[in-house]
Amino acid sequence: MFSTTFRYSLISLLELANSEELLQAGTIASRHQLSHHYLAVVLAELRRLGLVQSHKGKKGGYRLACDPQQLNLLDLYHSRSEERRVGKECR
């Protein structure tokens, strides 16, 4: 089956794709009973890959870096085992 990291990534991307507002890691973690700490690590990796944007501050959070239709889940899956930037089209 899928790794925990891929599962957390997929849940995060789906949540962000269905939200018009910034979402905090804690909100996503609570909705899906995920580890807040590990989700924060996964979201940081998704940001590094160029798939999500983060905004700091009290009302900060995460949002997709591109239109959800531009996401390629196969690239996301392969990025878990390869060091490459998959979000170049999201800019």
Side-chain angles (χ1 to χ4, degrees):
M1 203 93 223
F2 297 119
S3 70
T4 301
T5 303
F6 182 74
R7 187 171 62 88
Y8 274 45
S9 298
L10 190 56
I11 289 168
S12 298
L13 292 173
L14 289 171
E15 280 285 335
L16 295 172
N18 289 311
S19 177
E20 295 180 13
E21 300 177 0
L22 294 173
L23 287 180
Q24 295 181 344
T27 301
I28 298 170
S30 295
R31 286 181 185 169
H32 297 277
Q33 298 178 339
L34 305 175
S35 163
H36 180 274
H37 174 74
Y38 192 63
L39 181 62
V41 171
V42 169
L43 285 166
E45 178 67 10
L46 292 175
R47 183 180 54 78
R48 189 184 70 76
L49 291 170
L51 296 173
V52 302
Q53 297 174 338
S54 63
H55 299 272
K56 295 182 179 188
K58 188 174 182 177
K59 294 187 178 188
Y62 295 88
R63 70 170 158 215
L64 287 182
C66 63
D67 186 290
Q69 294 179 349
Q70 291 180 322
L71 291 176
N72 184 324
L73 296 181
L74 187 58
D75 282 344
L76 173 65
Y77 180 76
H78 289 300
S79 76
R80 304 317 314 145
S81 60
E82 299 176 15
E83 276 297 315
R84 63 181 185 158
R85 187 175 183 88
V86 298
K88 56 184 174 278
E89 308 85 29
C90 293
R91 301 255 170 213

